[in-house]
Amino acid sequence: MVQPARMFFLVAGEVSGDMLAAGLIRELRKRYPEARFVGVTGPRMRAEGCESLADIEALSLFGISEVIGQIPRLLRLRQRLYKDIVRQRPDVFIGIDAPAFNTRLEARVRRAGITTVHYVCPTAWAWRAGRTRGIRRAVDRMLAIFPFEPDFFAAHDIPVTFVGHPLADELPAHPDAAAARDALGLERAARWVGLLPGSRGAEVDRLGPLFLEVARWLVRRDPSVRFVAPMANQRVRARFEAELERFPDVDVELVDGRSREVMRAAEALLVASGTATLEALLAKTPMVVAYELSGTNYWIARSLNLIKTEFVSMPNLLAGRRLVPELLQTDAQVPMLGAWLYRLLHSPAARAEQIDAFEAIHAGLARDADARAAEAVAELMEARS
């Protein structure tokens, strides 16, 4: 008897979710060549043949206050997707990141008798640990990309498989800084510092002036330093250029996109806390991390005591110690940020401490994540067939 073709329903959030989902689709198709893939998609997912019911931009929100304003639209979208899922009865529903949206959808889908997988653990280990109760009701299997996550979720009776991180598989263990400088047209012999104030306009508005003040502080103490900054898009570039006009004494090479090449090319980085810190780690470039939430989001986080971890930057979380300097909110002061950068530029021991740890972390994350994630989904699905 011929078995019907498998069907997978995927809902991804953010650009990173699009990347993860595309790799998963590619590996699942090797196992199930006739399978159908459908869901909320980005360009990479569509390129792998996933049918689109909505664009990933519908879930690309940032910050508590921004999400609140979009709640009615998100509820309508989730209800529409739920009806589609129940009608089409996929073999597996896979939510990729976007936990606030996906875990609630997963809970309803699971109650309807459909197997659910969540790819990328929600950061319940960092804040709002009480969410584990809802997650336990929502998912049949969690796919973790960081090695410290399984123990936390297993302790809350949530089945977890550590698959590793696709970026660690994709990026080289020993990056070539000289080749990156050549590719970007940067002078090889110069001492380059990368400025990465974020990929969103609001982040650049808050951190752009601070990063440029730090650049001014640094170049006054070491005139040999040069600066390069990748711009995520034209809107971000326009905002950063407007800030740069107030710093005629600071020369910054702006690069459209190509942030990973900038990270490899730089001798040190000043980077906004977020996913860029993981990419910087994998580039093996010493870094200083800074961040400043909006006043509303910081007030909410502080008032509700939401943050539960000692560290926020991924290098420190993965190392389990203060490996890289991270200065947040009122601690993110120009002299302190500048002094840390100066030390990374001039102290071989300080540089080596970060780089050696980055190499060890990279090796632990490189596990052929796409294939391992597909294997975990297939095993779960076959066990329930």
Side-chain angles (χ1 to χ4, degrees):
M1 179 177 176
V2 177
Q3 294 292 325
R6 297 292 193 177
M7 179 183 176
F8 301 88
F9 200 110
L10 304 95
V11 174
E14 299 282 354
V15 173
S16 59
D18 184 34
M19 179 190 73
L20 291 169
L24 178 58
I25 291 169
R26 189 162 50 248
E27 290 295 327
L28 284 170
R29 200 177 291 284
K30 292 178 183 178
R31 292 165 171 77
Y32 308 103
E34 304 303 319
R36 181 184 174 211
F37 299 86
V38 62
V40 176
T41 68
R44 291 181 177 88
M45 294 170 69
R46 293 191 288 272
E48 295 295 335
C50 189
E51 302 170 36
S52 185
L53 298 180
D55 192 87
I56 203 168
E57 287 295 323
L59 302 183
S60 297
L61 302 174
F62 182 75
I64 298 168
S65 58
E66 183 177 336
V67 172
I68 289 173
Q70 296 296 322
I71 284 176
R73 180 183 63 79
L74 292 171
L75 290 175
R76 289 192 297 271
L77 174 61
R78 192 159 61 202
Q79 179 64 16
R80 176 166 69 85
L81 291 173
Y82 173 74
K83 290 180 178 179
D84 281 334
I85 295 163
V86 171
R87 176 175 56 82
Q88 300 196 54
R89 306 296 301 183
D91 292 275
V92 184
F93 173 86
I94 307 170
I96 302 96
D97 213 354
F101 185 91
N102 271 328
T103 54
R104 288 170 175 79
L105 180 57
E106 287 156 2
R108 295 187 67 191
V109 167
R110 193 176 185 223
R111 287 198 298 271
I114 297 169
T115 300
T116 62
V117 173
H118 191 86
Y119 194 178
V120 181
C121 294
T123 54
W125 42 265
W127 67 296
R128 290 178 59 202
R131 290 184 295 167
T132 54
R133 292 187 294 274
I135 295 168
R136 186 166 55 245
R137 292 191 294 268
V139 302
D140 292 297
R141 174 66 57 174
M142 186 84 73
L143 304 182
I145 60 176
F146 296 119
F148 57 79
E149 295 173 318
D151 286 347
F152 173 86
F153 285 97
H156 290 84
D157 298 321
I158 299 170
V160 185
T161 299
F162 171 56
V163 301
H165 203 297
L167 272 182
D169 298 321
E170 177 186 345
L171 298 179
H174 302 287
D176 189 336
R181 291 184 181 191
D182 290 345
L184 293 168
L186 302 178
E187 182 185 342
R188 269 201 187 192
R191 172 167 279 168
W192 292 98
V193 170
L195 305 177
L196 291 95
S199 60
R200 302 171 184 271
E203 288 178 315
V204 173
D205 287 346
R206 288 193 295 271
L207 294 176
L210 173 65
F211 282 24
L212 290 172
E213 290 280 6
V214 174
R216 172 185 280 165
W217 185 98
L218 191 59
V219 79
R220 286 176 176 173
R221 287 154 181 82
D222 185 351
S224 70
V225 174
R226 307 274 296 278
F227 300 96
V228 57
M231 299 287 102
N233 52 54
Q234 288 304 309
R235 293 193 304 275
V236 166
R237 182 178 182 126
R239 291 185 175 193
F240 193 77
E241 285 180 327
E243 291 294 341
L244 194 53
E245 289 181 1
R246 301 194 298 110
F247 296 85
D249 52 336
V250 178
D251 184 22
V252 183
E253 293 281 345
L254 301 184
V255 177
D256 291 325
R258 306 175 73 176
S259 61
R260 293 180 190 172
E261 286 177 286
V262 169
M263 291 177 186
R264 290 197 294 269
E267 194 169 331
L269 300 169
L270 178 58
V271 56
S273 181
T275 56
T277 63
L278 176 64
E279 295 185 348
L281 179 156
L282 296 172
K284 316 303 187 303
T285 305
M287 74 185 85
V288 177
V289 177
Y291 206 71
E292 183 179 343
L293 289 169
S294 70
T296 299
N297 288 337
Y298 179 65
W299 179 85
I300 292 172
R302 184 175 181 180
S303 299
L304 299 181
N305 192 29
L306 295 179
I307 306 301
K308 301 297 183 183
T309 58
E310 183 179 358
F311 310 115
V312 300
S313 65
M314 193 50 65
N316 290 343
L317 289 167
L318 288 166
R321 62 186 175 90
R322 193 174 297 278
L323 172 63
V324 305
E326 57 176 54
L327 294 94
L328 313 175
Q329 295 301 120
T330 55
D331 289 337
Q333 299 296 319
V334 172
M336 293 180 67
L337 293 168
W340 277 113
L341 279 172
Y342 187 92
R343 183 167 184 261
L344 289 177
L345 290 171
H346 293 276
S347 169
R351 295 179 56 77
E353 180 186 6
Q354 287 198 18
I355 293 170
D356 290 348
F358 292 168
E359 290 177 348
I361 292 169
H362 190 159
L365 292 175
R367 299 295 183 91
D368 196 6
D370 292 340
R372 286 168 66 97
E375 180 181 2
V377 171
E379 287 179 354
L380 177 65
M381 185 174 63
E382 300 294 344
R384 291 168 178 258
S385 297

